Amino acid sequence: SILFFLFIFSYYRIIIDGPGYLPFYWPMSHTNISHQSSIDSHDLNQNDSSSLLHSDDFSPSGIVSSKKQHEWAKKRPRPPRSTLSTEGRRFVLRPDHICGWTSSWIGKRNYKFFLLFNFWGFIYIVIYLTLNTIEIIKLIQAEIPSPVIIVFFIFGFLAIIFMVLTGSFVFSHTYQMFKNITSWEEWKNVDPTSYDQGCIKNTEDVCGPISLWYNYLLPISPWIEKTNFELIRDYPSVQIPEREESDEI
């Protein structure tokens, strides 16, 4: 029950916390607003734009609602280590991939929960598969064979598939965490040393300060007290080749 709780709670935290977003009009704070082209059907004056830039990180503000807005944002500088997502309709922070199980981007804020979701799911399913196998052996050795054994075989087969999936994600994404590179950046052929600061610092970039190591295996966010821009402010700027500008993965 404890393992299942950690597994399912981590799953919901992936969705609830999200990857961390910045609004599509983020470039306004880094360029001369008076010389910007229109981003909607009407012009925004400087005061209106300034108020938008300080919107709540967890609000749905700043979502692209037209092709014109998307094209406007694509032509402007992007925030450090982010991508303008067609699906997310905003800038996604430290993008990794879009998780089909959660229909959510995996990024800066929820990468830890994605790891924990797979880690606790892997441990849970290994224990279940062990108990399932023991039960199958008991049924086989019984004097009178029971048709229930077919159900156990089906569950066991499904458990093996889930174990392989979660296990592969745990190992591959833990390796990426230690190297401080994401799946999206590997797909874009970003230099793998761009953000590498050593194993400890790289782990802190996902799980929070090493001084709070006892929280690493718990579905507790290390980024509650930081704004989205604070989370990526210190990342170096890395040039993404023009042919690789699409955010799809």
Side-chain angles (χ1 to χ4, degrees), residues 36-105:
Q36 292 294 336
S37 59
S38 173
I39 65 171
D40 205 339
S41 58
H42 63 280
D43 291 329
L44 294 173
N45 61 46
Q46 186 166 347
N47 290 333
D48 290 339
S49 302
S50 177
S51 65
L52 288 172
L53 292 170
H54 297 286
S55 59
D56 182 3
D57 279 342
F58 296 99
S59 77
S61 62
I63 291 178
V64 169
S65 58
S66 68
K67 183 178 180 181
K68 188 175 183 181
Q69 291 174 337
H70 184 80
E71 292 299 321
W72 179 92
K74 279 186 64 175
K75 295 176 182 177
R76 269 66 185 181
R78 69 176 68 187
R81 204 175 190 184
S82 65
T83 182
L84 180 65
S85 169
T86 302
E87 292 81 1
R89 297 190 290 171
R90 287 163 286 179
F91 288 105
V92 176
L93 312 184
R94 198 182 185 276
D96 187 87
H97 71 284
I98 297 175
C99 176
W101 293 349
T102 60
S103 296
S104 172
W105 264 99

Side-chain angles (χ1 to χ4, degrees), residues 23-218:
F24 78 91
Y25 45 71
W26 179 90
M28 285 185 179
S29 62
H30 296 265
T31 53
N32 187 345
I33 297 175
S34 63
H35 289 85
Q36 292 294 336
S37 59
S38 173
I39 65 171
D40 205 339
S41 58
H42 63 280
D43 291 329
L44 294 173
N45 61 46
Q46 186 166 347
N47 290 333
D48 290 339
S49 302
S50 177
S51 65
L52 288 172
L53 292 170
H54 297 286
S55 59
D56 182 3
D57 279 342
F58 296 99
S59 77
S61 62
I63 291 178
V64 169
S65 58
S66 68
K67 183 178 180 181
K68 188 175 183 181
Q69 291 174 337
H70 184 80
E71 292 299 321
W72 179 92
K74 279 186 64 175
K75 295 176 182 177
R76 269 66 185 181
R78 69 176 68 187
R81 204 175 190 184
S82 65
T83 182
L84 180 65
S85 169
T86 302
E87 292 81 1
R89 297 190 290 171
R90 287 163 286 179
F91 288 105
V92 176
L93 312 184
R94 198 182 185 276
D96 187 87
H97 71 284
I98 297 175
C99 176
W101 293 349
T102 60
S103 296
S104 172
W105 264 99
I106 305 301
K108 178 66 176 181
R109 285 194 178 274
N110 61 5
Y111 194 94
K112 174 188 175 182
F113 299 125
F114 177 76
L115 278 175
L116 292 179
F117 163 67
N118 286 284
F119 174 77
W120 292 121
F122 178 74
I123 301 298
Y124 176 84
I125 206 67
V126 166
I127 294 175
Y128 167 80
L129 188 59
T130 301
L131 298 175
N132 187 78
T133 303
I134 293 173
E135 193 63 29
I136 289 176
I137 294 173
K138 289 181 179 180
L139 291 171
I140 291 175
Q141 294 176 343
E143 293 183 2
I144 302 177
S146 172
V148 177
I149 194 173
I150 298 175
V151 176
F152 281 95
F153 270 115
I154 293 174
F155 283 175
F157 175 74
L158 296 175
I160 290 173
I161 294 176
F162 189 74
M163 181 182 68
V164 171
L165 284 174
T166 55
S168 62
F169 281 131
V170 168
F171 288 110
S172 63
H173 285 275
T174 299
Y175 174 80
Q176 289 179 337
M177 177 182 70
F178 289 154
K179 293 293 184 180
N180 206 346
I181 190 167
T182 68
S183 300
W184 184 86
E185 289 163 351
E186 286 185 339
W187 185 55
K188 301 299 183 183
N189 296 319
V190 174
D191 183 355
T193 64
S194 298
Y195 306 105
D196 191 355
Q197 301 182 69
C199 186
I200 294 179
K201 288 291 185 183
N202 294 343
T203 302
E204 288 184 324
D205 194 49
V206 171
C207 299
I210 195 69
S211 59
L212 300 177
W213 59 268
Y214 45 84
N215 286 332
Y216 279 11
L217 292 180
L218 299 177

